[in-house]
Amino acid sequence: TQTQSPAATRTFLLLGPPGCGKGTQAERLARHFAIPAISTGEMIRGEIKAGTELGKIAAGVTITGGLLSDDLVNQIVRSRLSKDDCRGGFLLDGYPRTIPQAEYLAGLLGELGLPQPLVLHIDVPLDLLIERTCNRRYCPQCGAIYNLSTHPPKQPNRCDACGAELKQRDDDCEETVRNRLAAYERSTAPLIRHYSGGRYVRVEGSGSPDEVFQAILRALD
Ligand code: ZN
């Protein structure tokens, strides 16, 4: 039998490219609405750590470097969303990744008496993703981390702590970010099409974390 969820119950899916600040916004939303923020990675590690049957299967697949099937991921999501702390809602990051997973989730939420999700898509232009990611520098001597735009060294390209010359980890950073974004867009385009007719909100993610969070709250009104 289905139970009617209270109007305040919030179920969110968070979408956004690598480097969009999703992790930060997930934490803030979770705190704001007093719901758990659940990432696929954490869910899978949780099952493995707890030594459940699903965890054992997942561990076997992970050790051999394989990909978890839709069916296995769905079962892990079912196990997690059935826990008591999800009764008042939840925020999912990294699931669903495919249309069959999205369809499975819709059915599962119906069974659990939870509302269908609101899809929050944090959008950040490519140029900004490149700037954020490719401005990282590190000190090869002491390991200190800098960011040329948000946390620059006092002297150009010199470590504040030890004076060594700073290095960039990835020589082809721009190319890497470009490829990563293209791969992300290819894989999420069908999901966005799937959800865009319904409860789907796109939020401009180029501001500061505070500005983006406020934009999300406004969009939810
Ligand atoms: Zn240093």
Side-chain angles (χ1 to χ4, degrees):
T1 54
Q2 282 196 15
T3 48
Q4 201 59 45
S5 56
T9 304
R10 304 272 196 165
T11 58
F12 297 107
L13 307 182
L14 205 52
L15 293 177
C20 77
K22 236 176 1 167
T24 308
Q25 298 304 327
E27 275 173 34
R28 290 192 179 200
L29 281 162
R31 219 177 308 136
H32 186 84
F33 291 111
I35 53 176
I38 302 167
S39 80
T40 312
E42 283 163 18
M43 240 181 317
I44 294 167
R45 283 192 296 275
E47 291 286 335
I48 293 176
K49 209 175 153 203
T52 63
E53 281 309 307
L54 290 172
K56 283 175 196 159
I57 300 169
V61 177
T62 317
I63 285 164
T64 57
L67 284 174
L68 305 190
S69 66
D70 272 358
D71 187 49
L72 182 57
V73 176
N74 288 342
Q75 294 308 314
I76 289 173
V77 169
R78 169 181 288 272
S79 157
R80 182 64 188 86
L81 297 190
S82 303
K83 293 204 161 84
D84 279 350
D85 66 338
C86 292
R87 278 204 203 146
F90 58 81
L91 181 149
L92 268 180
D93 176 6
Y95 177 94
R97 279 193 199 281
T98 64
I99 301 295
Q101 288 180 0
E103 284 164 351
Y104 180 85
L105 178 65
L108 175 62
L109 293 177
E111 270 181 57
L112 294 173
L114 288 164
Q116 292 302 312
L118 178 84
V119 181
L120 270 174
H121 183 183
I122 303 178
D123 210 13
V124 177
L126 174 64
D127 289 353
L128 189 63
L129 286 177
I130 290 173
E131 192 194 300
R132 280 183 188 172
T133 314
C134 302
N135 278 344
R136 282 188 203 136
R137 297 290 183 276
Y138 74 100
C139 172
Q141 200 157 290
C142 75
I145 306 284
Y146 300 87
N147 185 297
L148 299 187
S149 54
T150 56
H151 172 50
K154 292 194 180 74
Q155 285 183 45
N157 226 30
R158 291 276 161 200
C159 179
D160 290 351
C162 70
E165 192 179 343
L166 300 180
K167 298 253 189 259
Q168 187 171 7
R169 229 173 272 274
D170 184 354
D171 293 335
D172 300 316
C173 189
E174 280 203 32
E175 198 54 27
T176 307
V177 175
R178 248 175 239 286
N179 291 338
R180 217 190 285 154
L181 183 67
Y184 171 81
E185 282 175 347
R186 265 197 308 277
S187 67
T188 45
L191 269 181
I192 290 170
R193 270 197 302 277
H194 177 82
Y195 283 118
S196 60
R199 292 159 39 84
Y200 169 85
V201 173
R202 188 186 288 257
V203 176
E204 171 63 45
S206 48
S208 70
D210 276 335
E211 287 165 346
V212 176
F213 186 61
Q214 292 309 319
I216 290 174
L217 294 185
R218 276 196 304 277
L220 295 181
D221 265 344

